[in-house]
Amino acid sequence: MVSSRDLPHGGAATGALTVLGLESTCDETAAAVVRAPLGAGRHVVGPGVILSSVVWGQEGLHAAFGGVVPEIAARAHAERLDLCVEAALAQAGVGLDALDGVSVAAGPGLIGGVIAGVMTAKGLAFGAGLPLIGVNHLEGHALTPRLTDGLAFPYLLLLVSGGHCQLLAVDGLGACARLGGTIDDAPGEAFDKIAKHLGLGYPGGPEVEREAAGGDPARFPFPRPLLDRPGCDVSFSGLKTAVRRAADALIAAQGGLTRADRADLCAGFQAAVAETLAEKAARAMRLFRETRAAPEGAPGPALAVAGGVAANGAIRAALGARAAAEGFRLVAPPLALCTDNAAMIAWAGAERLARGERSGLDLAARARWPLDAGAAPLLGAGRKGAKG
Ligand code: KG4
Ligand code: ZN
């Protein structure tokens, strides 16, 4: 087996780093092997090659509770991580000896799961004599457009998932500036809660989107939160309550919801989220353009999306339209790389390992770990705690 450590490093586009990534911060147990090409100055240049990406989703374990149960998640991660690693190495067709490092999401997230990942990574790195690197889960999402599309810094990122909602200027590795975020719920969390209230399945996002497809988005004029206020922050708590109230009023008046009621409620809610996110993203695009030059040689500035909610067709369409109007390219990674996965962790690790960074065996798991340490904390917690 040829190790990428034997490849000639340095110089223009010579060599690569092959990194194993581990992800266990929420309800996906994942392992992946990614090859990151090295360019001039031994910096990683995208796009990368995903040799394998194994994601074991825990939805089935949490579905009955309508949300992630931290203790159940942690146990499942501890039981499944080594199997995921085994599968990822087998699918990639490499052994530990072919790796240049082990990268693990060391936070932010549900602490039991994060500890399971960090301990597994330490054991593997120590046992195989490999460099260890602990990375920020949010940085994994933030750097995904570099893995998939080779996007150059700087770019604007909208991260929308069940636990996070942030508009970030990604200026470089370890240099993210938050331009806005949610002050209460994350959008995915709102999708999940609405689905639960309407008797739909978990996770709620895809269920609400399916229902909304046959609905009339104009029947319920739900609020567009915070659009009347300046800035790029968003809020979804009031919108969630408005949808619940509308549903409850119908149930009280007619004893239940018809299929059309449910579809119209979902369509109205989805339209409100899409419009709100698109408008706030447009404000962030203007701010970004005023303060940053597009990368040299790039066809203009880019708005990238990440997180499970970015899978939503209506939201993608609204963002695409606003991006085009603002002169931005919309970069939307494939769905499997928008939701939690370990390929993004391997990639973030590769970017840091290439710079010579290493974590010690004292690497600590972190429940909280904001990407932009300089930004004032937002009020919102999100269902997985205040991740950023
Ligand atoms: O990024 P992700 O896999 O995990 C984290 O939250 O970190 O995102 C999961 C979230 C869930 O809240 C789920 O309901 C939402 O993304 N989601 C969607 C869709 N697919 C997943 N929300 C709206 N529309 C979708 N199609
Ligand atoms: Zn995530």
Side-chain angles (χ1 to χ4, degrees):
M1 208 171 298
V2 178
S3 164
S4 53
R5 268 177 287 181
D6 301 331
L7 293 170
H9 285 167
T14 53
L17 291 180
T18 304
V19 175
L20 170 71
L22 301 184
E23 160 60 36
S24 57
T25 62
C26 188
D27 59 348
E28 263 90 26
T29 315
V33 180
V34 167
R35 186 162 289 155
L38 289 167
R42 293 214 54 193
H43 285 301
V44 161
V45 285
V49 182
I50 299 173
L51 300 180
S52 64
S53 180
V54 175
V55 180
W56 185 70
Q58 302 179 357
E59 288 88 2
L61 299 179
H62 305 288
F65 305 95
V68 181
V69 183
E71 182 61 18
I72 294 175
R75 280 169 191 268
H77 287 306
E79 283 165 11
R80 299 294 298 236
L81 268 164
D82 53 351
L83 299 174
C84 284
V85 169
E86 204 170 58
L89 291 171
Q91 282 179 26
V94 299
L96 288 170
D97 60 328
L99 300 176
D100 294 296
V102 179
S103 176
V104 60
L110 298 172
I111 195 66
V114 183
I115 291 172
V118 167
M119 296 309 284
T120 304
K122 282 182 187 176
L124 281 167
F126 183 67
L130 289 166
L132 171 72
I133 186 83
V135 302
N136 185 314
H137 171 91
L138 301 175
E139 183 168 273
H141 281 300
L143 298 178
T144 298
R146 290 170 60 73
L147 161 64
T148 57
D149 292 76
L151 213 56
F153 298 122
Y155 52 89
L156 183 65
L157 178 85
L158 173 64
L159 176 56
V160 272
S161 71
H164 355 275
C165 180
Q166 303 185 43
L167 277 155
L168 294 163
V170 186
D171 291 318
L173 191 57
C176 282
R178 198 186 66 212
L179 305 183
T182 184
I183 60 165
D184 41 53
D185 293 350
E189 186 180 11
F191 269 96
D192 293 338
K193 287 183 176 161
I194 296 291
K196 196 175 175 186
H197 198 73
L198 298 180
L200 303 170
Y202 173 84
E207 301 275 336
V208 170
E209 184 172 16
R210 212 169 299 133
E211 286 288 321
D216 171 10
R219 177 170 159 205
F220 298 99
F222 292 128
R224 271 56 174 158
L226 298 193
L227 287 197
D228 54 339
R229 288 201 222 150
C232 303
D233 286 344
V234 290
S235 155
F236 294 105
S237 178
L239 171 61
K240 186 183 67 190
T241 307
V243 179
R244 277 186 180 160
R245 285 224 180 99
D248 291 347
L250 284 170
I251 293 167
Q254 54 191 46
L257 295 175
T258 64
R259 276 208 77 164
D261 292 337
R262 203 173 281 125
D264 294 345
L265 286 164
C266 287
F269 165 71
Q270 185 176 271
V273 175
E275 207 180 295
T276 306
L277 286 175
E279 169 58 25
K280 294 292 180 165
R283 292 183 194 179
M285 283 185 258
R286 277 171 235 144
L287 201 60
F288 183 90
R289 207 180 29 224
E290 280 162 21
T291 49
R292 288 154 175 92
E296 233 169 84
L303 168 68
V305 290
V309 179
N312 187 284
I315 293 172
R316 274 191 189 222
L319 290 170
R322 292 306 287 268
E326 296 293 336
F328 274 62
R329 268 179 310 143
L330 183 73
V331 177
L335 184 51
L337 295 172
C338 277
T339 50
D340 286 352
N341 67 87
M344 68 180 192
I345 302 304
W347 177 265
E351 292 230 30
R352 290 195 170 271
L353 287 168
R355 286 211 314 202
E357 293 181 31
R358 305 284 184 269
S359 298
L361 287 176
D362 57 352
L363 171 67
R366 296 175 65 173
R368 290 169 184 238
W369 188 357
L371 258 192
D372 179 356
L378 286 166
L379 297 173
R383 79 165 184 245
K384 290 157 213 157
K387 287 181 145 192

